[in-house]
Amino acid sequence: MPSSTPGPSTNTSTAVSTGQFSFPPIHSYPPFYSLQVNTSTLQSQLSTWSTIIRDYCRHQRLFRLSLSDQLDSALFYNRPLGKRLKEDDARRVLDFMREKQASAEPIAGGGGRGGGGGATAAAAAKRKADVWWIWWRKVDEWAGIIEAWVEEVGQKNTVLTLYELTQGDLTRGTEFHELDQEVLQKALAVLVKRGKAQVFGSEDRLGVKFF
């Protein structure tokens, strides 16, 4: 994707559909799979990959992205084109998302490559994270969506289990139905800090009361 060569538009109106997710045309542009040397071109390329990853994860309702699982998926590997994003380059994109956009975050204990069972703590700390949070919605946004729902359906001063919040009929049709439980807990922690909720109970039977 050299800067002197105009690339295809990222407009999804002419996107290429793979399964149910429509990738933008640039996803079928061979140079897109090799990170560029030119600084401005590289920044644009990383930003475009970031958008594609977020949109893909949102469409698939993926909150955690496993590189070992996704490197061979349509996200990073365009089989008809015979092109794929290398693992190190995919990690560079995720690092860009973490450092520049706060839209990705490595999950502690989420696996990685390198370092066996006998590795020292220092060596283990250098292991490359395999599983990442992809924040196609930030935790604060999830908190705001839940708070708005509580207001809308009149659930203040009502006790609900976390299971009911994400799996129950009451929330069916809401954006946070089937939300990742750990993301839910992070969002509820935001509401607790705002004085809008109280979480109580044991780990496997957590409940929440909204104010």
Side-chain angles (χ1 to χ4, degrees), residues 46 50 53-54 90-107 129 131-135 138:
L46 291 172
S50 170
I53 290 171
R54 291 198 313 272
R91 291 187 184 281
R92 191 168 178 184
V93 174
L94 291 171
D95 282 335
F96 172 85
M97 294 172 68
R98 173 176 57 86
E99 295 168 2
K100 303 296 185 181
Q101 303 173 333
S103 60
E105 180 184 347
I107 297 177
V131 184
W132 291 67
W133 292 115
I134 302 297
W135 301 118
K138 304 290 178 63

Side-chain angles (χ1 to χ4, degrees), residues 123-173:
K126 294 180 180 179
R127 293 177 63 196
K128 297 177 180 178
D130 179 58
V131 184
W132 291 67
W133 292 115
I134 302 297
W135 301 118
W136 44 270
R137 276 203 184 281
K138 304 290 178 63
V139 172
D140 282 358
E141 291 181 282
W142 285 118
I145 290 170
I146 293 170
E147 183 179 4
W149 173 82
V150 170
E151 292 279 355
E152 180 182 347
V153 300
Q155 289 297 313
K156 285 188 175 182
N157 297 310
T158 300
V159 176
L160 296 170
T161 66
L162 270 58
Y163 178 86
E164 286 175 313
L165 265 180
T166 57
Q167 304 297 327
D169 291 339
L170 190 61
T171 62
R172 194 173 301 278

